[in-house]
Each structure stands twice: as structure tokens, then as C-alpha cells.
Amino acid sequence: MLQQFINWIKPMPDAENKVEPEKIDSVYKMWRLRMFLGMYFGYVIFYFVRKNEPFVRSVMGQAMGLSLMELGILGSVIYITYGIGKFLCGTLADRANIRAVMALGLLGSSIINLFFPYLPSLWLLAFFWGLNGVFQAMGFPPIAKGLVHWYAPKERATMWTLWSSSHMLGTFLIGLIVAYILKIGAWQAAFYIPGIIGIISSFFILKTLTDKPSAVGLPPIEVYKNDTMPIKSENNLSHKEILKKYVLKNQFLWYLAIAYIFVYYIRFATLDWGTKFLCDERGFEPAMAASWMVWMPLFGMFGGIVAGLIADKFFKGRCTPINVAYLILLGISSWGFYVYASPQNPFMTMLCLSAIGFLVDGPQNMIGGVQASRVVVQEAAAASTGFTGMFGYLGATLSGVGAAAIIGHWGWQGFYLSCFIASLLSVLLVSATWAKESSADTEESAAEIKS
């Protein structure tokens, strides 16, 4: 039985029957659309069973008698397990098949959500929410592999950021669902209703997705698109040697990974604590606060897409220039939200929340996703994004207990000041890769001329 499971989860073999040359274009287009939609909507549901907790955090804390620090612990534990799991799953996803890993992760996460709100103690809550993080970590690495194998480098920033709007759409939709649930009073339904949806969706993933193009008889994406990989593969290297050379010893990947700490701190600190800030500090009602917070993921969907389009159209796929611009404006918007948010100032509350969502989503998608994939070989795509993701979720972990400590000692002013400082630090680190991306672009242009 164990061997059957291993066979089920390992990469799908190349199809025995290759697609006829005259049909390659139509079959490739069909599968690219199918893969994109499956990965997109599948990941939307991943967020249903993960980002439901922040929207109900204030009410759940009151109902279960959890303190500010205990809520911070609960918020951090999923990020610890998710961050470690993302790196481990990233190293394994390059040697596993896309649909099996993704479907299994969503199924496990959804089952936990069915019983989570009925657990009787903080430690049980923390254990199972941490286990949820392990299953959640099985979502993104196989998608990173899918995007790299189904989309060429010069279209990858656009498609990656377009796909990445899925997490903001998922956050937006679950925010609306939770806001409605809070109006009728049954806060526990914010967990078990998404859990039921997630179980159904895991079977949708199994039916929709496949693995690499070769699994359905198609040629590699670089052959189909006649494109050049930013970094050439070395066929004589083992998976372990590729991981060591292009991930663990890659200084540019380290710059991006450390920058990701600060980006993720801002992303999750502003989202996870925003509802509590509006309720406790600015006097919003819980349902109203939850409904206001959906402005952040709503505009985040557009922010990431715009960043990818600009990178591809004006910078030939390079991500550093747009990331720097976004991060500077993100710091300003975070501080602006603290200054202006109030029930008496709905326009500025909406504007600042929308700006934070729009501006955080570009760097969040590009730094640890597109940009990371551009400084490694194709065979290490999932591992590189898992590596940066592990560091990102160190920042997310700090947004839980770390943010709770900052709020406890320096209040909400200190909390939003920390977001401003984090944005400036990430600008410095991302800027360190400017020359690397420029040289990669030059190498691609030279290869085109030579061909």
C-alpha cells in the first residue's frame, strides 16, 4: 500500500504517445488554460481554509477567552509550520507530481477545519492549526513547478502574478463569507463551511490537473515557445547538487529570501491584525471591520497583476525595478492607514487599505516567485520558491507573536511604524539583485541574436 502511494505521488511518466506535430499548438493551448484554471481556483480554496481565522480572530478570542498573546501564538504557529513545510515540500515537489501533492494538501487542511473551532484548549488549537500549516505547505510548491514548466520565461511574470491573484481572491471571498457569518452569529461556521468546500475542491484538482507537458505527450515549454531559460540546466548534476549550487549557495536567492521576511511581515501583520485594530483602537463593529478589511485583498488582486504586466512589458521580465517602487509606496500607505483609519473617515480608511493590498501583492508574488525562479535553473524552481517561502513565513511568524509583543509594548503606533521600517529594509535587499537581473537579461538578448 505504501508503494502504491509513492507511485501515485511521484512524477507522472512521459506519455507513450506523443501529440502529432500539427496538433501541438491546439493541445498545448488547451492544457495551458486547464492547468492555469485548476491551479488558480484550487489555490483560492486553499485560502478559504487558512485565512478564515484572522477575520474571526477578535470574536473567537472573546468566545474562547484567549488573550492577545495567545491569539498571537495561534497566528504564528501556522506560519512556522507552513514556512518549514514550504521549503521541504519545495525540495520534494520537483520530484513529485503536481496534482497529487496539491490535492492531498487541500484535503488534509479542509478536514482540520471541520473540527477546529470545537477544540477545548489553546494547545490543541495550536497543534492542529500548526498541522494545518503543514498541509497548506503542499499547495504552492507544485504550482511553482507547474508555472515554470507550462509558461516560458518571458511570459512568466505576467502569468505568475495573474495566478497569484488567487490568494487575494481567496482572502477577499472568505472575508465576505466570514462577515456574513458574523452577522448571523455562528462564528464556528467560518471554519466548517470552508472545510466542506475544500474537501469537494480537492477532487476537482485531481480531475483537472496533470504534471509536466511531457506527461500528456507535449514537448518542453522552451521548445514550444522557442524561448531561452535565464539560467541553463546542467544535465550532469544530481538533484542534490542542483539544490546545493543553485539554492543553498546562491547569494542572490539569499538576498531575496531575507527581503521576503520583511515583505511577509507587512503582508500578514496588516491583514491579520487589521480587524482587531479597527475594533479595539478605532471603534468599528466586528462585522463592519471584517467587511472593511476585504478592500485589502480585493485591490491586491490587481496590484500583483499590474506588477507582472509592467515587468514583462517594460523590463523584459525583470522584477527589481517594480518591486522597489511598490515597496516604497507600501511603507507610506501602511503608516497612512494608522493615521487616517476611523469610522468618521471612511474614504481614507478604504483608500489606505486598498493601497496596502495593491502594493504588497506585487513584491509578495514577484520576489519569492518570479524573481526567485529567474536566478535558478528550471529543475530547482520549486525548491527556490520553497526556500524563499520558508524565510517569508519567518516574517509571517513575526507578524503573530512579534506583532503582539510590539502592540503590547509600543501600542498600535509602534506596530505600524514597524511595517514602515520593514518596507525600507526590503528595498535595500531587493536592490542588491538589480545588476544580476540586468546581466541575465543581457545574456538572454545575446542568445536571441546568436540564434
Side-chain angles (χ1 to χ4, degrees):
M1 187 172 181
L2 177 61
Q3 188 58 48
Q4 289 180 326
F5 176 77
I6 293 173
N7 292 336
W8 176 70
I9 206 168
K10 69 182 183 181
M12 297 174 66
D14 292 350
E16 293 183 5
N17 299 320
K18 304 299 181 183
V19 176
E20 297 175 8
E22 64 272 15
K23 295 182 179 179
I24 286 177
D25 188 57
S26 60
V27 174
Y28 229 121
K29 287 178 179 177
M30 181 275 292
W31 269 109
R32 274 159 57 98
L33 178 62
R34 179 170 171 172
M35 288 294 293
F36 184 85
L37 292 177
M39 293 187 297
Y40 187 95
F41 289 107
Y43 209 64
V44 166
I45 307 303
F46 264 88
Y47 266 66
F48 274 37
V49 288
R50 172 173 153 202
K51 297 311 291 181
N52 46 350
E53 184 271 330
F55 286 105
V56 78
R57 181 174 293 181
S58 182
V59 175
M60 185 178 73
Q62 293 176 4
M64 304 186 78
L66 300 174
S67 68
L68 180 71
M69 184 54 68
E70 287 172 332
L71 288 171
I73 292 171
L74 195 58
S76 287
V77 68
I78 188 172
Y79 295 141
I80 294 171
T81 55
Y82 183 89
I84 296 171
K86 196 172 183 180
F87 177 56
L88 295 176
C89 288
T91 60
L92 294 174
D94 289 311
R95 294 184 289 177
N97 81 71
I98 294 168
R99 69 181 182 186
V101 176
M102 191 176 176
L104 185 61
L106 182 56
L107 179 64
S109 186
S110 301
I111 291 173
I112 288 173
N113 270 260
L114 295 180
F115 60 82
F116 179 77
Y118 303 103
L119 295 171
S121 72
L122 171 66
W123 304 115
L124 283 174
L125 289 168
F127 173 79
F128 281 102
W129 207 236
L131 185 58
N132 187 25
V134 175
F135 285 114
Q136 286 283 325
M138 299 171 70
F140 178 68
I143 290 173
K145 177 183 176 181
L147 290 169
V148 167
H149 283 279
W150 285 93
Y151 295 96
K154 289 185 178 177
E155 61 181 347
R156 197 176 297 160
T158 298
M159 298 309 299
W160 200 304
T161 52
L162 183 61
W163 167 81
S164 291
S165 67
S166 63
H167 66 254
M168 285 299 190
L169 178 60
T171 306
F172 170 72
L173 292 176
I174 194 59
L176 291 180
I177 293 170
V178 171
Y180 176 76
I181 289 171
L182 290 177
K183 285 183 179 180
I184 62 176
W187 66 269
Q188 294 91 340
F191 293 95
Y192 62 74
I193 288 178
I196 294 170
I197 296 172
I199 291 172
I200 296 170
S201 299
S202 64
F203 292 99
F204 162 79
I205 290 171
L206 281 176
K207 286 289 186 180
T208 305
L209 300 183
T210 184
D211 201 24
K212 295 186 294 185
S214 60
V216 290
L218 291 167
I221 186 63
E222 61 269 25
V223 175
Y224 172 62
K225 284 290 186 177
N226 191 27
D227 204 352
T228 304
M229 293 297 165
I231 297 180
K232 299 293 184 181
S233 303
E234 296 183 49
N235 296 327
N236 60 326
L237 294 182
S238 67
H239 183 78
K240 182 178 179 180
E241 290 170 328
I242 289 173
L243 181 65
K244 183 178 179 180
K245 179 176 181 179
Y246 290 104
V247 178
L248 299 179
K249 289 189 174 183
N250 188 333
Q251 70 182 68
F252 299 102
L253 196 62
W254 276 93
Y255 291 145
L256 296 176
I258 297 172
Y260 225 33
I261 295 174
F262 300 113
V263 172
Y264 262 67
Y265 173 80
I266 301 168
R267 177 191 172 196
F268 287 114
T270 53
L271 179 62
D272 291 359
W273 292 101
T275 303
K276 192 163 182 61
F277 166 71
L278 292 176
C279 292
D280 296 359
E281 181 73 7
R282 300 298 163 91
F284 284 77
E285 292 296 323
M288 181 180 292
S291 62
W292 273 105
M293 287 302 298
V294 301
W295 285 101
M296 184 175 164
L298 176 62
F299 277 83
M301 288 187 284
F302 301 107
I305 294 170
V306 169
L309 289 171
I310 293 174
D312 278 343
K313 186 172 181 61
F314 297 103
F315 300 106
K316 297 183 178 180
R318 287 168 49 224
C319 306
T320 307
I322 191 65
N323 279 335
V324 169
Y326 266 53
L327 288 165
I328 292 171
L329 294 173
L330 175 60
I332 296 171
S333 300
S334 299
W335 182 250
F337 177 65
Y338 168 74
V339 173
Y340 294 110
S342 74
Q344 294 75 36
N345 200 353
F347 175 75
M348 288 303 295
T349 303
M350 178 196 71
L351 180 63
C352 291
L353 277 172
S354 301
I356 293 171
F358 186 94
L359 294 165
V360 78
D361 204 53
Q364 186 268 323
N365 295 332
M366 307 251 281
I367 292 173
V370 187
Q371 200 165 357
S373 74
R374 286 177 59 85
V375 298
V376 300
V377 294
Q378 189 183 49
E379 290 81 0
S384 68
T385 56
F387 182 75
T388 55
M390 179 176 64
F391 279 80
Y393 278 88
L394 172 58
T397 300
L398 293 174
S399 76
V401 292
I406 290 173
I407 296 166
H409 284 85
W410 293 287
W412 291 104
Q413 183 181 50
F415 170 75
Y416 283 101
L417 181 61
S418 72
C419 293
F420 178 79
I421 294 171
S423 68
L424 297 183
L425 292 172
S426 58
V427 166
L428 295 175
L429 288 158
V430 170
S431 297
T433 66
W434 195 295
K436 172 63 177 177
E437 276 209 293
S438 297
S439 65
D441 178 59
T442 302
E443 290 169 8
E444 288 180 38
S445 299
E448 288 177 1
I449 294 171
K450 187 177 180 179
S451 63

